[in-house]
Amino acid sequence: MNRHALVRPPGRSFADAISSTGAAIDVCLAQHQHELYCDALRLAGVRVEVLPPDERYPDSCFMQDPALVIDGKAIIARPGAISRRGEELLVAPLLGQHFPTIHIEAPGTLEGGDVLVLSDRVYVGESDRTNQAGIEQLRAALHPLPVEAMRVQGLLHLLSGVTYLGRNTLLAVEAFAGQPEFEGMQVLVVPAGEEYACNVLGLGETVIAPEGYPRTAAMLACHGLRVLTVPVSEFAKADGGVTCLSLIYTEAI
């Protein structure tokens, strides 16, 4: 299988991205960090397609949210953040060249950051950005693949608290470690104080992780993974992480 990534560098308007932190974003530094992120994707064997920045959408560098590919279908999302609506229309034609597309319709909302894709099922976070109507539409779109809802509290997205590493293994914050939905899976818990580092991008034998969280990186390496760390401080200011910055899909060779 060929693994592809759609990415969009942050434009000047990224300074106005949605943020719960209130921290000033250094756009030039963010653009440099995005280049390093793309380098890490390529090092992991991913084919990277770089789309142009779109100044109309300050958050549009977070490519994971407006669309995702699951089970050979392109799910065109409907962002819960009103200022982000329209981003999905930028990427839908690109995905439509490779996959059948299914659009989430009002009143449903769905953002890719709430979708945890495992090998045999999908978990979707019901959050401030993704509602029950959106989850039901995703369930119908992916049938017969099981889609299960999980309540997200205190986090922006489900993937802010748990990500999939492959090989039946999750990386999670303590609050998600004991979830009954994850029974039978191995759950690695990020060390206290490194909760942000639970958002990692698993790419087979390689994982891309945020720079600056050495205990989490060491734990992943001990688990047999090649760990590529990248600086993402400016994206963290906008509540984003390493999964947020790319829309990953695979195509048969």
Side-chain angles (χ1 to χ4, degrees), residues 11-252:
R12 296 182 304 277
S13 64
F14 184 53
D16 300 318
I18 301 169
S19 172
S20 68
T21 69
I25 295 171
D26 183 331
V27 173
C28 289
L29 179 55
Q31 291 169 338
H32 176 62
Q33 291 179 347
H34 192 273
E35 291 174 356
L36 296 177
Y37 175 80
C38 292
D39 289 343
L41 286 172
R42 296 185 183 100
L43 190 58
V46 180
R47 178 182 174 186
V48 179
E49 181 177 352
V50 182
L51 306 177
D54 194 315
E55 300 294 353
R56 297 172 298 172
Y57 300 102
D59 294 270
S60 58
C61 59
F62 297 128
M63 289 290 295
Q64 182 186 47
D65 291 321
L68 58 159
V69 176
I70 306 174
D71 198 28
K73 301 172 184 176
I75 308 300
I76 310 306
R78 184 170 181 264
I82 294 175
S83 65
R84 299 197 64 183
R85 290 182 190 166
E87 290 180 32
E88 70 277 13
L89 302 179
L90 303 178
V91 71
L94 298 175
L95 294 178
Q97 296 173 17
H98 306 284
F99 306 100
T101 59
I102 301 168
H103 290 253
I104 301 299
E105 305 287 352
T109 62
L110 179 78
E111 293 191 359
D114 277 318
V115 183
L116 177 66
V117 182
L118 277 58
S119 59
D120 61 349
R121 60 196 184 279
V122 174
Y123 290 106
V124 188
E126 184 182 349
S127 69
D128 292 340
R129 300 291 186 88
T130 297
N131 63 19
Q132 288 185 352
I135 294 172
E136 287 302 322
Q137 290 180 45
L138 182 65
R139 181 176 288 122
L142 296 181
H143 181 78
L145 185 67
V147 175
E148 302 181 34
M150 298 183 67
R151 183 63 187 163
V152 175
Q153 294 179 313
L155 297 170
L156 177 62
H157 288 133
L158 179 61
L159 298 191
S160 304
V162 56
T163 48
Y164 186 51
L165 299 173
R167 299 185 294 186
N168 202 44
T169 303
L170 298 168
L171 181 65
V173 297
E174 182 68 38
F176 278 103
Q179 291 287 337
E181 291 90 345
F182 300 145
E183 184 177 354
M185 301 190 69
Q186 182 176 16
V187 182
L188 305 180
V189 181
V190 293
E194 295 196 359
E195 287 80 7
Y196 176 77
C198 85
N199 183 267
V200 300
L201 182 59
L203 298 166
E205 299 301 313
T206 300
V207 61
I208 296 178
E211 183 181 85
Y213 301 91
R215 290 179 293 163
T216 299
M219 178 175 63
L220 294 171
C222 287
H223 193 67
L225 292 164
R226 179 176 65 154
V227 183
L228 303 177
T229 60
V230 293
V232 286
S233 63
E234 302 314 294
F235 301 104
K237 292 175 180 178
D239 307 301
V242 295
T243 65
C244 309
L245 290 171
S246 56
L247 193 168
I248 303 288
Y249 66 92
T250 57
E251 284 188 317

